[in-house]
Amino acid sequence: MKKNGSGDTWKSSCFNRVLRGLAFLSLFALPSGAKSLEVGSDAPPFELLGSDGKVHKLSDYKGRKEIVLAWFPKAFTPGWTNELVALRDSAELLKNFDAEIFMVSLDDPQKNKEFSEALGSAHVLLSDPEKEVAATYGVIGFGGLYARRWTYYIDREGVGRDIDKNVDTQTAGQDIAARLESLGFYKRN
């Protein structure tokens, strides 16, 4: 690239690179008007098909059980494989709590079912291929193609009690159990 005496070509090139970089980064932003669930506010309702073939609704658990919604980017990816294995391996620890623990992605129900079966997971994976629930929870990222790896803790009254936006895929099961304990969520008798 040639540069004239004033450096205009070089400046123009740098400016264009910055603009392209900002345009790329905007792909990872929340959709316009999207807002994440805030701690202390009512959790948005959901009605999603699970890998168990059943429809799961927040209203079915209200007043009865706490809910954990562990959003993940995509089935059969290395990070989510590690996370699901960590949850599977912590199943006995997690059974101590009277909470429904769901993993949720934008994948279709069949893909989540295959993924769950491939890894021998007892946890139900929920599917939100239309991205409607993901939008209400503010987890849509990566250009709208994937969900962010965030975990929501919802109490029996349907109120968001905590959000983990820094999930460690290697220790996810232990971390969820520790968070349930620290939040004082009910234990099974």
Side-chain angles (χ1 to χ4, degrees), residues 21-43:
L22 290 172
F24 175 76
L25 289 174
S26 73
L27 293 174
F28 299 94
L30 286 172
S32 178
K35 183 179 175 187
S36 177
L37 168 67
E38 294 181 19
V39 172
S41 63
D42 288 340

Side-chain angles (χ1 to χ4, degrees), residues 58-74:
L58 177 62
S59 60
D60 290 342
Y61 301 98
K62 199 167 183 182
R64 294 184 32 237
K65 288 189 174 220
E66 282 96 5
I67 301 287
V68 175
L69 294 178
W71 290 86
F72 65 96
K74 200 105 177 118

